[in-house]
Amino acid sequence: MMAAMRPVIIAANWKMNTTPADAGELAATIAGRIREPAVVRVICPPFVCLAAVGAALADEEIGVGAQDVHHEVAGAYTGDTSAAMLQGLASWVIIGHSERRRDHGETDERISGKLRRAVEAGLRPILCVGEVLDDREAGRAVAVVDGQLHGALAGHLPADLQAAGLVIAYEPVWAIGTGRNASGADAAAMAEAVRSSIAAIGWGAAAADVPVLYGGSVTAANIGEFLAEPSIDGALVGGASLKPDEIAGIVARAGLTANARLVETAAT
Ligand code: PEP
């Protein structure tokens, strides 16, 4: 597999943390600590902090992402946020995070609709998939993730999602916010399984080009275990992404892999 052709991406999911009053300052602090241009860097603050973070990052090559987008274009959906509302505020969007599947009853069908809205609006989607602990212990992790990918992607033309730059985040639910991360080897096996599923959905060989991130209790101390795996292209980072020292360490380690891939690509 041509891992050298895929970018290394570190995406920060700030979840329901920060306010418009303090998000810009945190983003500016972090930006000053993650100046590694070989790594694609993205910060996803809460909706209400997008403008402050965007302003703080105006002179930085760091993407700004939303944490969700509604599956309809507009209408009577109190409290929700459409893709059109994100124009000018975000260029990336996290879709199908397990916390939204759990707390907002997001189904694969809804998630497919969110992907459609993201693609139409030119937002780069990070689609989250991952199994709960019972499924992993029962040996169903690959089947669950395969089902999530089919549910989200099968209704789309691969060319549309390729043009949108689809990224997959493999995030075992039992590893999110728990301090219990997957092993690098297990995450790598799941990343390969993700690309096999996508190939079977109709992407064929193009599935090899889809970046797959790992997410789940990533820290500066353990990121190396994941980036040592050629099939893993970076991380979606929650809790540690709010701590400048942690995210700086994560991006610095990602820079080693990103620059090694650039050298490898130049040599081939
Ligand atoms: C996440 O929010 O996607 C995540 C992986 O969180 P954490 O890094 O805190 O486990």
Side-chain angles (χ1 to χ4, degrees), residues 11-15 94 97-99 128 169-172 175-180 214-219 236-241:
N13 176 15
W14 284 4
K15 310 195 189 204
I94 297 171
H97 193 281
S98 64
E99 287 158 8
C128 300
Y170 165 62
E171 300 207 301
I176 297 178
T178 60
R180 177 185 174 189
Y214 167 76
S217 297
V218 169
T219 64
L236 179 55
V237 186
S241 74

